[in-house]
Amino acid sequence: MTAGPAPLSVTSVEFSGARGGESPLSWGQLAIWRLTRWLDDDDPYFNMPWVLPVYGRRDLDTVLGALRVLVERHETLRTTYEETPGGLVQRVARRGRFAVEVYDAGEARPLAAARELSVRLAATAFDYAADLPFRCAVVTVDGRPRTVALTLSHLAVDGGALEVLARDWRDLLAGGEMAAPAWQPMDQAAVEREGPGAARGERTLRHWRSILERVPLTMFDFPRTEPEEPRFVKVGMESAATAAAAEVLAARWSVSTASVLTAASAVLLGALTGHREVVMQLIVANRHDPRLAAMAGSAVQDGIFVLALPEGTFADAARAGHRQALTAYRNAHYDPYRMMALREEVGRERGRPVDLSAYFNDTRAAGHWPHLPAVEPPGDPAAIAALTERTRTFHVGSWPEVDATALFATGTATNTCELYLMADTAYLPRPTAYALLRGLETLLVASVAGDVPLDEVAGLCGIVPVERPAARDDSSDGPGLLAGRGTA
């Protein structure tokens, strides 16, 4: 961990869960495991910093007790992962102990101190075979616990699991009686190996094959440019206007705000690349099953989204995109290694891999923004357009290697639309990335005022379509040949 103030104390907390054991990994766990194999063992990329408030006036023993029960309730928090001669396994420890560091916030606000501490805790990779998949510390003010800083492995949790843990945390601090969780990752792994879970996985593989056999081999079939160094940049936009417009349009068209944003991203990619059929992967929570909805564990997988851009308006594209997104959500539960083999097989049949390096990821806990600035009168196009004066764009960071050419993602803010774009600057230079973000805002705001024809999107949004030479060489074959690894 990076340097910082030393803890006031370190307490060892013993736990004793209802069940231990060993099993293969669930498909959601395998999906994350595959991603971790692309990294060095000491790379902390898949660590997730997180902060929990301490509700009420609780003493340290109460907070430590709540942490102990949280670990006892959820097997994912006491699970290690190991490659054995018999295959990859998860091992749930029935008993054990974990360390809790205690810090004083000093002059800092306790929440800010906890956030900084959680980032420090995340700076060191987990040893998946030996370490429990979390680290935690308590931040105090005048000796009273105010916040808990955690870092968790993405193998153990995803965004949906964090919501489950947050609900439990509030109840545990209140001291109420809680029913034991009915579904754990080992249960999910068992149902995926046989019965309805396995059958669903087979149906999903057939669905993906039917799409992979016909879609464009890549969205990025144009010559690359000289990339930045590092090559991959992440840029962001905070736009209350985008959020307000998305809510108006979702209600008007009877779709979700996620579908509005996904369709807008696809339409802009189509306008840029000249493709009338846009292929993206959606990051799918896979929590529509009530058992998975209440499970603490990692269930996220990719769904395949195909939008054939119709002749007509953005409203037509958004409605079509909503239907296609629902299909993608229904077909995002499968064995990741079977999917990898399928994609390789289709690639051999078609002469080269199908590049699926465009993504959309909605990370919001709810499908709306409950704390947006007031718009008067509600839904007024001019009032929403006025919000664009508050919009800001910014650079988040740069990386030497990322397994995506274009990855759109929302943030979790509830008072504005946080929208991010991770871009491969060999295909999407930084100015193009910023233009796509601001173009999405322009498209949604303009659509509140009236229908936007799809053939006018590029001009309206300031998108300059790519130019393709009459004869292409290998440099124009898109990132599918350059990445050297799959993107599922």
Side-chain angles (χ1 to χ4, degrees):
M1 190 168 67
T2 56
L8 299 174
S9 63
V10 180
T11 300
S12 180
V13 178
E14 295 188 1
F15 63 83
S16 179
R19 180 176 71 166
E22 180 179 301
S23 89
L25 272 61
S26 70
W27 292 341
Q29 291 169 320
L30 278 174
I32 302 300
W33 179 264
R34 272 198 64 215
L35 298 176
T36 68
R37 297 305 88 195
W38 294 337
L39 304 175
D40 295 332
D41 288 342
D42 60 352
D43 193 320
Y45 182 83
F46 286 106
N47 291 355
M48 302 173 68
W50 197 42
V51 171
L52 287 170
V54 175
Y55 303 100
R57 297 184 64 85
R58 310 297 176 188
D59 60 24
L60 182 59
D61 286 344
T62 299
V63 171
L64 295 177
L67 286 169
R68 173 184 57 78
V69 176
L70 198 68
V71 172
E72 291 174 342
R73 286 176 56 79
H74 297 292
E75 293 176 3
T76 193
L77 298 179
R78 38 194 176 89
T79 298
T80 55
Y81 308 84
E82 186 173 4
E83 292 183 284
T84 73
L88 182 62
V89 299
Q90 58 176 313
R91 294 194 176 107
V92 178
R94 186 165 181 266
R95 293 184 177 86
R97 63 182 60 199
F98 60 93
V100 181
E101 299 177 338
V102 180
Y103 290 80
D104 184 83
E107 298 299 318
R109 297 173 64 89
L111 183 59
R115 286 174 174 161
E116 180 181 350
L117 184 55
S118 69
V119 172
R120 288 176 47 217
L121 291 170
T124 303
F126 288 99
D127 180 341
Y128 298 124
D131 298 343
L132 293 179
F134 71 95
R135 304 183 185 109
C136 60
V138 176
V139 175
T140 64
V141 175
D142 296 329
R144 181 166 65 86
R146 300 291 297 275
T147 52
V148 175
L150 298 105
T151 284
L152 302 102
S153 166
H154 203 347
L155 270 170
V157 298
D158 55 21
L162 293 181
E163 293 295 316
V164 172
L165 296 178
R167 290 194 297 269
D168 276 10
W169 178 248
R170 182 186 292 271
D171 292 343
L172 287 171
L173 286 179
E177 292 293 326
M178 301 174 63
W183 204 247
Q184 305 274 9
M186 285 202 301
D187 303 313
Q188 182 62 27
V191 82
E192 290 166 350
R193 290 197 299 275
E194 58 186 24
R200 178 184 173 191
E202 294 297 328
R203 290 193 300 272
T204 294
L205 291 172
R206 290 194 295 270
H207 171 78
W208 276 67
R209 172 179 277 281
S210 71
I211 293 175
L212 293 172
E213 289 175 338
R214 63 173 177 79
V215 294
L217 285 168
T218 179
M219 292 292 300
F220 306 100
D221 54 345
F222 47 86
R224 55 180 287 181
T225 61
E226 187 64 30
E228 293 187 18
E229 182 61 41
R231 173 170 165 173
F232 295 84
V233 301
K234 184 177 183 179
V235 297
M237 176 177 73
E238 292 178 353
S239 168
T242 296
E247 293 199 339
V248 170
L249 297 175
R252 180 184 298 172
W253 298 334
S254 299
V255 301
S256 67
T257 58
S259 291
V260 171
L261 296 174
T262 303
S265 301
V267 165
L268 289 168
L269 276 181
L272 175 71
T273 64
H275 283 283
R276 299 299 295 180
E277 187 172 47
V278 179
V279 186
M280 305 175 74
Q281 291 194 86
L282 306 187
I283 313 300
V284 180
N286 275 328
R287 290 185 177 267
H288 41 275
D289 183 323
R291 297 173 301 181
L292 282 169
M295 183 190 79
S298 196
V300 169
Q301 291 188 259
D302 296 335
I304 190 166
F305 170 85
V306 183
L307 180 59
L309 296 175
E311 297 294 336
T313 67
F314 176 56
D316 300 319
R319 293 188 182 100
H322 182 66
R323 294 190 295 270
Q324 293 303 314
L326 293 177
T327 299
Y329 299 154
R330 287 194 297 269
N331 291 279
H333 195 70
Y334 49 83
D335 181 331
Y337 286 90
R338 293 278 307 280
M339 180 63 74
M340 182 170 61
L342 170 64
R343 290 181 58 176
E344 290 173 352
E345 180 181 346
V346 173
R348 288 192 297 271
E349 293 170 355
R350 298 191 64 181
R352 58 158 289 182
V354 181
D355 168 39
L356 300 179
S357 62
Y359 292 82
F360 187 89
N361 184 17
D362 186 2
T363 70
R364 298 172 297 161
H368 62 287
W369 297 270
H371 303 117
L372 288 178
V375 173
E376 295 295 341
D380 179 65
I384 291 175
L387 292 176
T388 61
E389 297 177 4
R390 308 185 189 185
T391 299
R392 74 180 190 99
T393 56
F394 49 90
H395 175 246
V396 178
S398 300
W399 291 265
E401 185 177 13
V402 174
D403 201 51
T405 304
L407 193 162
F408 292 89
T410 65
T412 58
T414 60
N415 64 332
T416 188
C417 177
E418 294 174 328
L419 190 66
Y420 300 98
L421 176 56
M422 178 76 77
D424 179 351
T425 59
Y427 294 93
L428 304 176
R430 190 184 301 210
T432 301
Y434 279 119
L436 287 168
L437 291 181
R438 292 305 297 253
L440 190 145
E441 177 189 67
T442 299
L443 176 58
L444 267 57
V445 170
S447 294
V448 173
D451 288 339
V452 176
L454 288 176
D455 59 7
E456 296 180 7
V457 166
L460 172 71
C461 298
I463 301 298
V464 180
V466 298
E467 295 184 1
R468 291 179 174 81
R472 296 186 293 118
D473 58 24
D474 288 345
S475 68
S476 66
D477 279 331
L481 288 181
L482 299 173
R485 66 189 191 196
T487 54

